Amino acid sequence: MRAHFGTHPNAAQLWQDTTGNHPPVIAIDTETVSLKDRTLLGVGIAVSPSDAFYVSVGDPSFQEVIILLQNPYVVKVLHNALYDIRVLRPWGIDVTLVEDTAIMTRLIGLGGVLEEASFYVKTTARSAGDVIDSHGVSTMAELPDSVIAEKCCEDTLATFQLYEKFKDEVPQKVYQLDRRVIPLLEKVSSKGIRIDQDRLEHIRKYYQREYSYYTAVADGIGFNPSKSFEVGYILSEMGEFLPLTKKGRLSTDENVLRGVRSPKAIPIAQLTLLFRRAQKMLGTYLLPLKDQDRAFTMLHMNAVTGRINGTSAGSNNLDRGLLNLPKRADLGKPEDLKYRGVFIPNGTRLTEADANQIELRVLAHLSGDKRMQWVFANDGDLHSDAEMAIWGSRGTRRDFAKVFNYSVAYNADVQAIADGIESTDLVRVAAERRKWLDTYTGAASWMNSQMIEGPRQGYVESALGRKMWLPTDREEKHVLNCSINWPIQTFAAEIFKMCILECEYLVDWALLYIHDAQLYEGKVPIPDLSSVSEVHVPWESKVGDRWS
DNA sequence: CGAAAGAGCCC
DNA sequence: GTACGGGCTCTTTCGT
């Protein structure tokens, strides 16, 4: 079907005008079976703030829609462009001039939800869930075409109006940055990364054996290691005093389990940790990729700070989070059991490039801390510098110093830092924390001013003008921490996004973006990115025959 | 049965 | 009485 919604008296004439003489700006919305099943049902196109068409896939006019979408000179406004582009990419949509009202409304503080943001314009959008519920069906595909068409047109009209209303109001630098990043994320998301099934199977068998073994041993002892309640109960029976979770249950997280001391309880705790590790590996990282040639994630920028994240939600069942694959926990393991080694190139080489200590460099820049800036300007190592400043040694406590640099800079309290360096001497850690603050006085005073200015204004702002409203429903401490962390994390993300745009000509080889790292197919020469922003950030590349 | 909690993985 | 920021996903637990 082809349907028209709007005020124009002659729909046929308007359609003819539209297809014959492509309008400069259109708003688009796709309707698919569901978020998981991205089979296209039809496309809605608003050609003005007041007129929209819906064309279903089978309609003779659909070809004209495709031709319109392929026109690189037409500005295409979408709400959550990443989703629709992914649906429309196979139809050849051109993404040169994509605009995204979800990014816009998020940036001006209205949130990214169309139904809510559209409150500020004439046409109000309804959520897919509400429409489905009100008709007593379970997927969009079951609705009559006319209902789908109406909902779709409403959405495109709301989108068109939001665009017109807010396009000049939105902070330009950060909006343009995110807008330009969209096509890269979509491209990388749909490419996926090749999986070495033999290696995956090898590791799977290893953890499957671990899983069976620990299950059997625990069963012999008389508890189920996957049930927190049973673990807590048996440890308590052995005389361990476990802290309580907020809902008053016995806490059995890794920290607690590693802290048990009675000789009978230690093996139980160890066993539980090993079991959980096997369960985590199997359930989250190994079994979901079984028999799959490639692994996919859907990259997006929905984080408060504009960081790129990856999810499986709202996409087909091939997608999953790929930004949190095990690494640290595999450190001591033999090569053939290291999880990331499962990912291999199409050809023979992979390149991974990462931005060296980007967040600490941003902190040095934002705070103007002289000592930090000196260290970075002289190609030094901030962790070693902190080690020297706190303990007067070099080398042996560098890892602790690293924990200090990150924890103190994000306002962790003494207890949290102590946990990080596995110390129980809180008095000592407090003194060391003091020493850090006395060493990096510029950073310390910047942190203080953030903690004053953030709550006073109710928001903090990034270098490129991303305004982030502080939460009003959280503890004061949390708000203070956000006031410090958000500008740092956001600026780092902005620099990172500037860098991947600088590498746009390599995008056909890009496999993944991971906050401060880029993964590429082949041996790719990463250009010098250290001067992309005013913060000097050196990039380090390594090349291998598999990811590691 | 779905939401929330608890746990654990990453930068 | 006191969570270090940003995420994602899985299993268990619990309430409707």
Side-chain angles (χ1 to χ4, degrees), chain A residues 103-241:
Chain A
I103 293 179
M104 287 178 27
T105 53
R106 216 176 273 128
L107 283 175
I108 57 182
L110 304 181
V113 180
L114 183 63
E115 299 87 69
E116 292 166 16
S118 68
F119 179 75
Y120 297 87
V121 291
K122 282 180 296 182
T123 304
T124 323
R126 292 172 293 165
S127 79
D130 286 350
V131 177
I132 286 169
D133 289 347
S134 67
H135 283 77
V137 296
S138 56
T139 67
M140 289 295 284
E142 297 167 45
L143 292 168
D145 266 2
S146 62
V147 174
I148 298 176
E150 182 177 4
K151 189 235 179 300
C152 187
C153 287
E154 272 176 7
D155 289 359
T156 61
L157 290 172
T159 301
F160 201 112
Q161 292 165 23
L162 285 171
Y163 175 68
E164 291 210 315
K165 186 170 171 68
F166 294 125
K167 67 177 168 26
D168 299 321
E169 220 174 283
V170 88
Q172 283 304 312
K173 278 184 186 168
V174 61
Y175 174 68
Q176 291 304 334
L177 180 67
D178 284 12
R179 189 187 67 77
R180 291 177 58 206
V181 165
I182 292 170
L184 277 70
L185 299 193
E186 193 280 326
K187 210 161 203 181
V188 170
S189 299
S190 41
K191 184 148 1 110
I193 312 175
R194 187 178 173 207
I195 297 167
D196 177 350
Q197 275 297 333
D198 291 340
R199 176 65 64 93
L200 184 80
E201 185 63 3
H202 175 68
I203 301 178
R204 186 190 66 77
K205 279 185 175 143
Y206 171 82
Y207 282 107
Q208 206 92 62
R209 280 195 299 272
E210 296 263 304
Y211 183 92
S212 311
Y213 176 70
Y214 296 126
T215 305
V217 174
D219 192 50
I221 298 171
F223 75 106
N224 181 341
S226 76
K227 297 205 187 298
S228 195
F229 175 80
E230 294 189 26
V231 173
Y233 182 79
I234 194 168
L235 289 174
S236 297
E237 271 197 324
M238 294 170 168
E240 288 294 330
F241 288 96

Side-chain angles (χ1 to χ4, degrees), chain A residues 88-115:
Chain A
L88 293 171
R89 187 74 100 172
W91 303 86
I93 183 177
D94 182 276
V95 294
T96 313
L97 297 174
V98 163
E99 303 281 345
D100 191 327
T101 48
I103 293 179
M104 287 178 27
T105 53
R106 216 176 273 128
L107 283 175
I108 57 182
L110 304 181
V113 180
L114 183 63
E115 299 87 69

